[in-house]
Amino acid sequence: MPIGPQRLLSAEVVLADLDGCLAIDNHPLPGAVDLARRLGSRLHIVSNNSTDTAERLSDVLAAGGIRIEAARIHLAGEILLRRLALERPGAPVSLAAAGEMPALAERLGILRRDEGAAIVALCRDTGFDYDRLQVIARLLAKGAELWVANPDMVHPGPDGLPVPETGSLLAAVHSVAPAAVPRIFGKPEAALFQAALDAARAKPQNAIMLGDNPSTDVAGAEALGIPALLIGPHRDAIARDLDSLLSLALETQGAIL
Ligand SMILES: [Mg+2]
């Protein structure tokens, strides 16, 4: 069911997408700093990012004026690794990942080993190559599970041009292991949204999701019963950016701008 812009100000918890919604390449988009300031601890970030940790993103966003503590930043790659450590302690994991993920895996005590791995974990591995694909093909053929941070094919780079995402690596994996059924953590699947709701101690109907992608942010949230607001260039968007959305919300609420 569609909701009005005023829900932005009245919702108990606001889950917000990062790329293309609050920021591009970690630089705040119009209205993002103001929104973060107005919402305070009601704002949580829900992002399919699978190279950074929440700790690092919190610092990077603070430098751009968006103040949000790490505990309110929920990232697909980090959630995948934390679930691995929690659900499969000691299991050998073949990890394809870059950025801060390998170091986080080590801090969480995840055993990285290609030989006899029970689980293949796939994040946005910027060093992914033929040898890695060969290792993964052999492990999946022998029955290893496939855990994947997110299904996105690309995300927009700072110049607006596409940056290959984890889903593009998953497509390569599917080409050599078509029967593998991935367990996906990022949007539009439920795990990442659920992690954010749990952290916020919020019921789905008392939260809203704010994003720029109808098929991941909006459809994923609504599937869990979280009402959603679409912003950005899409024709169905309620506002082109957060600045316009805030103005609409304040007008609707009858507040003085
Ligand atoms: Mg986005």
Side-chain angles (χ1 to χ4, degrees):
M1 178 192 292
I3 56 167
Q6 73 281 6
R7 279 289 282 278
L8 180 67
L9 302 171
S10 63
E12 199 177 285
V13 170
V14 175
L15 311 179
D17 170 51
L18 182 60
D19 281 310
C21 180
L22 286 171
I24 288 220
D25 202 34
N26 297 329
H27 298 295
L29 285 168
V33 171
D34 192 17
L35 182 79
R37 191 175 49 75
R38 282 175 186 276
L39 294 177
S41 63
R42 292 193 292 139
L43 178 66
H44 285 247
I45 289 175
V46 175
S47 166
N48 275 358
N49 179 312
S50 69
T51 46
D52 295 306
T53 57
E55 292 283 348
R56 192 185 101 81
L57 266 187
S58 176
D59 291 344
V60 170
L61 291 173
I66 299 177
R67 304 208 169 276
I68 178 161
E69 66 214 48
R72 290 188 282 118
I73 300 176
H74 313 281
L75 308 173
E78 187 164 358
I79 296 282
L80 181 156
L81 291 182
R82 291 188 183 282
R83 292 292 283 272
L84 256 182
L86 198 68
E87 293 182 24
R88 304 294 171 86
V93 175
S94 175
L95 176 65
E100 293 176 274
M101 294 298 97
L104 176 62
E106 194 173 337
R107 286 206 298 282
L108 291 170
I110 292 168
L111 174 62
R112 286 187 70 179
R113 199 174 68 202
D114 291 337
E115 183 70 33
I119 297 161
V120 170
L122 187 62
C123 293
R124 185 166 71 89
D125 180 4
T126 53
F128 195 93
D129 61 7
Y130 182 92
D131 289 346
R132 179 53 44 196
L133 189 59
Q134 170 86 82
V135 166
I136 291 175
R138 291 173 61 84
L139 288 169
L140 295 176
K142 287 193 269 185
E145 291 172 40
L146 178 59
W147 290 27
V148 179
N150 76 65
D152 299 346
M153 294 298 177
V154 293
H155 73 245
D159 54 4
L161 296 174
V163 175
E165 252 299 340
T166 315
S168 66
L169 304 180
L170 175 60
V173 168
H174 268 147
S175 72
V176 294
V181 179
R183 175 178 177 184
I184 294 176
F185 289 79
K187 299 173 285 187
E189 301 301 322
L192 184 60
F193 289 111
Q194 197 58 59
L197 288 175
D198 291 347
R201 295 196 175 89
K203 294 195 171 79
Q205 65 272 24
N206 296 335
I208 64 164
M209 175 69 197
L210 196 54
D212 67 321
N213 187 323
S215 57
T216 56
D217 297 322
V218 175
E222 288 180 346
L224 272 178
I226 305 167
L229 286 173
L230 182 69
I231 63 159
H234 193 276
R235 65 179 186 282
D236 294 337
I238 192 169
R240 72 181 180 282
D241 57 26
L242 293 173
D243 209 23
S244 316
L245 180 65
L246 262 174
S247 299
L248 272 177
L250 290 166
E251 275 169 29
T252 314
Q253 200 188 43
I256 297 163
L257 291 177

